[in-house]
Amino acid sequence: MNNLLESSFIIHSRDYGETSVIYDVLTENYGFMSVLAKGIKKKKDGLLLLPFRELLLSYTKANLPLLVKHEVSNDYSKINRNFMLYGLYYNELIYRLVPKNEPLKSMYSLYKSQLNYMVSDIDVSVASLRFEYLFLKEIGYGLSLSDELNGTLNDNDTYYYDFNSGFKKSYNNTNDKICGTSLLNLANNNFSKIKDVKVLRQIIREVFKKLLNNKSLESFDIIN
């Protein structure tokens, strides 16, 4: 039987019997999937199977693949401590919102690039806005402009987010308004130049809640 060899990140794990573990992993070519590691708790090299490490996993072709071999190809152990809880938050987003067994190569690239941010000194809120915004795009629920804006934004105008139709021009003094400059920077992925980070993250949090049928994300509640 030919085994598959795949670059992967562990997103979640759960016990299976007394000595085995099921790992939910984000893979480079096969998306988000589960593998069963039989007897892994008795093996010394089982300690290598940790989150925030890029792993090469060899596993069988099956409905629930069996893990055959594993090794670390890239270790992100130097992740900024301020990011550690945020990393668990990113993992929870993937675990709860990414469908299983669908090719998601761009999601893998997004996650890996986010880990590279996490070893830097970038502001945690800005880095998290980046991941949240791009993650929503990847799962097909990206923030959009309302039809009335005709695809245009003005630096000098302010906007608010309508969850049914997208960003709209604001004509009053609501607390959740966002300046046009911030939205233009968001559209161009210039996250470090965005002024309204807190407001945008709150909008995205509400989108996540709607996608989860108003259920909260435990990790988000902890970090905020």
Side-chain angles (χ1 to χ4, degrees):
M1 181 182 294
N2 294 327
N3 296 328
L4 297 173
L5 183 66
E6 190 67 11
S7 294
S8 311
F9 289 103
I10 291 175
I11 301 300
H12 180 265
S13 63
R14 56 195 183 277
D15 291 340
Y16 185 84
E18 294 184 1
T19 62
S20 302
V21 176
I22 293 177
Y23 292 99
D24 299 307
V25 297
L26 182 64
T27 68
E28 185 171 16
N29 295 298
Y30 297 96
F32 187 46
M33 58 179 289
S34 299
V35 296
L36 172 59
K38 282 191 173 181
I40 196 67
K41 292 182 182 179
K42 292 183 176 180
K43 301 175 181 177
K44 290 182 179 179
D45 63 353
L47 297 175
L48 298 176
L49 293 167
L50 295 173
F52 314 129
R53 287 178 171 176
E54 188 171 26
L55 303 162
L56 276 176
L57 302 182
S58 176
Y59 54 87
T60 62
K61 295 179 180 179
N63 290 333
L64 180 57
L66 298 179
L67 183 64
V68 178
K69 294 181 181 179
H70 60 275
E71 62 181 82
V72 177
S73 60
N74 203 344
D75 191 350
Y76 294 87
S77 59
K78 293 183 180 179
I79 285 176
N80 186 321
R81 290 183 181 180
N82 294 330
F83 272 114
M84 197 58 70
L85 285 176
Y86 282 83
L88 296 176
Y89 163 55
Y90 307 149
N91 285 359
E92 186 179 359
L93 285 175
I94 291 171
Y95 181 69
R96 295 181 64 178
L97 290 173
V98 173
K100 287 277 188 76
N101 303 314
E102 293 185 12
L104 294 167
K105 198 159 188 175
S106 54
M107 178 68 76
Y108 188 88
S109 298
L110 171 60
Y111 186 82
K112 185 172 180 176
S113 67
Q114 191 67 17
L115 292 185
N116 285 317
Y117 271 92
M118 291 164 67
V119 299
S120 69
D121 293 324
I122 192 171
D123 180 84
V124 292
S125 294
V126 172
S128 287
L129 172 62
R130 172 191 181 273
F131 184 81
E132 293 162 338
Y133 175 71
L134 296 176
F135 177 83
L136 275 179
K137 274 188 173 182
E138 290 295 336
I139 63 173
Y141 293 94
L143 301 183
S144 60
L145 301 181
S146 62
D147 292 338
E148 66 186 46
L149 294 179
N150 295 315
T152 61
L153 293 168
N154 190 315
D155 283 348
N156 299 319
D157 289 334
T158 57
Y159 302 84
Y160 72 98
Y161 195 72
D162 184 312
F163 290 95
N164 294 315
S165 58
F167 285 105
K168 291 183 175 182
K169 188 173 178 179
S170 176
Y171 296 96
N172 54 44
N173 294 319
T174 57
N175 293 327
D176 59 351
K177 62 184 181 181
I178 301 161
C179 69
T181 302
S182 285
L183 285 186
L184 286 167
N185 283 319
L186 184 70
N188 292 314
N189 295 342
N190 294 325
F191 301 100
S192 62
K193 296 181 179 180
I194 294 173
K195 298 178 181 178
D196 304 301
V197 171
K198 185 175 181 179
V199 177
L200 285 167
R201 291 198 67 214
Q202 185 59 41
I203 290 170
I204 291 173
R205 183 186 185 185
E206 291 302 316
V207 174
F208 286 146
K209 286 182 69 174
K210 291 178 184 297
L211 293 176
L212 293 167
N213 297 318
N214 290 320
K215 295 179 181 179
S216 62
L217 288 158
E218 294 179 8
S219 51
F220 191 98
D221 294 336
I222 292 173
I223 62 178
N224 290 280

